[in-house]
Amino acid sequence: MTQKKRRSSRVVRIVNKDGRLNIVGSGKWYSYWRDPYHLLLTVPWTGFLAIVTLGYITANTFFALAYLVGGNGIANARPGNFFDAFFFSIQTMASIGYGAMYPQTLYANILVTIESLLGLMGLAMGTGLAFARLSQPTARVIFSRVAVVDLYDGVPTLMFRTANKRRNQILEAELRVRLARDEVNAEGLSMRRVYDLPLVRSQNPSFALSWTAMHPIDESSPLYKATPEILAQQEASIIITLIGIDETVSQTIHARHVYIARDILWNMRFVDIMLRTLDGDRHLDYSRFHDVTPL
């Protein structure tokens, strides 16, 4: 009974903080192995190098066994020796050609021809995949761990912070904020609805430092008369996407973040991170970027 209560009380995110969906049983209808190009672009570098290394060793092992099947087809190699055939396969696939071992039968020459062609194709694909991974534009943008509901000009306002971690600018940056929550229509059908949350300022011509996004919770807001309990009951999520052009690579980058109901703190305020020195200069204290204080 205690275990059942613990499981039911645990909060499960529909959407992770990075915007990815939590889909139970997704492997039953889709497998990333059916889309190897996308897999090789999205898998971490350790996984990418492991897949490439495993494929390289597997291919050379296959050709080494094929050379052994053909008998004594490799000159200066010990008859029946797997390692000689394996390293001859590596020299052939990589177009090294030391000259100590070479094919001496028609069967071996045919295998060398096939392996050389596959080696060139594999080198081209591996180089292309590595370059595609390195050249992917990425955003180094952070979001505050929580969002707050604070008074601004006498109006309750939803606020969160975002900042550019790189020392460059994101040109024509645009923030889009949406509310997703469960609703039941007049016919009793349950569905998840998405609403736009307009911001006081949704565009920034040169996003370089910190940006506090604000959504007034007035009569026109989907959050009007909402409470923490109602948002938790509706499994509400605040979905944020940021799009802009990285000035360094001149390519479009994007970042995303999600706040669930428990990440929204009511009647709280972000600590001011804009400080002024004794000399009159201003600087940002990012060590307090996530700090909040009660109203």
Side-chain angles (χ1 to χ4, degrees):
M1 182 66 70
T2 304
Q3 291 181 353
K4 291 183 179 179
K5 287 183 178 179
R6 288 179 179 177
R7 290 178 182 176
S8 60
S9 61
R10 185 179 60 182
V11 178
V12 179
R13 285 180 176 268
I14 296 178
V15 184
N16 294 326
K17 285 183 176 293
D18 61 357
R20 301 183 185 275
L21 295 173
N22 284 325
I23 304 176
V24 178
S26 61
K28 296 181 180 179
W29 59 274
Y30 180 78
S31 173
Y32 280 105
W33 293 104
R34 298 177 184 176
D35 192 357
Y37 178 73
H38 186 268
L39 171 67
L40 291 172
L41 287 180
T42 56
V43 72
W45 273 103
T46 53
F48 175 76
L49 295 176
I51 293 174
V52 171
T53 303
L54 179 62
Y56 185 73
I57 294 175
T58 301
N60 283 286
T61 300
F62 171 80
F63 278 102
L65 295 175
Y67 287 122
L68 293 178
V69 170
N72 189 21
I74 306 174
N76 300 325
R78 290 169 292 182
N81 187 279
F82 171 78
F83 290 103
D84 283 358
F86 179 80
F87 292 121
F88 173 74
S89 173
I90 289 180
Q91 295 176 27
T92 302
M93 183 171 291
S95 301
I96 297 175
Y98 288 121
M101 294 186 290
Y102 56 90
Q104 61 182 359
T105 64
L106 177 62
Y107 175 80
N109 277 288
I110 293 175
L111 281 181
V112 166
T113 302
I114 297 174
E115 186 175 8
S116 297
L117 176 61
L118 295 179
L120 289 174
M121 295 175 59
L123 177 62
M125 289 188 293
T127 305
L129 286 169
F131 177 77
R133 291 176 60 91
L134 289 171
S135 61
Q136 279 184 336
T138 57
R140 291 292 182 263
V141 175
I142 59 172
F143 294 87
S144 55
R145 298 191 187 101
V146 296
V148 301
V149 176
D150 183 14
L151 287 178
Y152 183 79
D153 288 340
V155 179
T157 304
L158 174 71
M159 301 182 185
F160 62 89
R161 281 174 174 168
T162 181
N164 183 16
K165 296 178 67 174
R166 290 193 176 117
R167 295 184 178 181
N168 68 347
Q169 295 184 5
I170 299 177
L171 306 178
E172 302 300 331
E174 181 178 3
L175 272 175
R176 299 176 181 176
V177 183
R178 294 174 176 87
L179 167 68
R181 65 186 179 190
D182 294 340
E183 292 184 1
V184 179
N185 63 6
E187 290 74 24
L189 179 64
S190 178
M191 63 179 63
R192 193 156 183 84
R193 301 288 299 274
V194 179
Y195 299 91
D196 291 331
L197 299 182
L199 299 178
V200 174
R201 181 168 62 93
S202 61
Q203 294 181 336
N204 193 333
S206 56
F207 178 33
L209 300 175
S210 178
W211 186 356
T212 301
M214 298 183 293
H215 165 71
I217 306 178
D218 52 19
E219 291 81 357
S220 61
S221 171
L223 290 173
Y224 186 62
K225 295 185 178 180
T227 63
E229 293 75 19
I230 293 177
L231 294 180
Q233 182 180 3
Q234 295 174 338
E235 297 186 6
S237 301
I238 305 296
I239 305 170
I240 300 111
T241 57
L242 186 146
I243 302 175
I245 301 175
D246 190 299
E247 68 167 352
T248 304
V249 296
S250 298
Q251 295 188 53
T252 301
I253 58 175
H254 70 276
R256 56 188 176 184
H257 193 79
V258 174
Y259 298 107
I260 62 175
R262 67 179 181 183
D263 297 329
I264 304 174
L265 305 182
W266 297 70
N267 298 321
M268 301 290 283
R269 175 176 298 168
F270 281 114
V271 173
D272 190 6
I273 62 175
M274 182 72 73
L275 304 178
R276 188 183 295 271
T277 64
L278 297 177
D279 298 333
D281 297 330
R282 293 183 178 182
H283 71 279
L284 294 177
D285 183 8
Y286 281 107
S287 64
R288 309 174 68 186
F289 184 79
H290 303 282
D291 295 348
V292 296
T293 183
L295 291 182

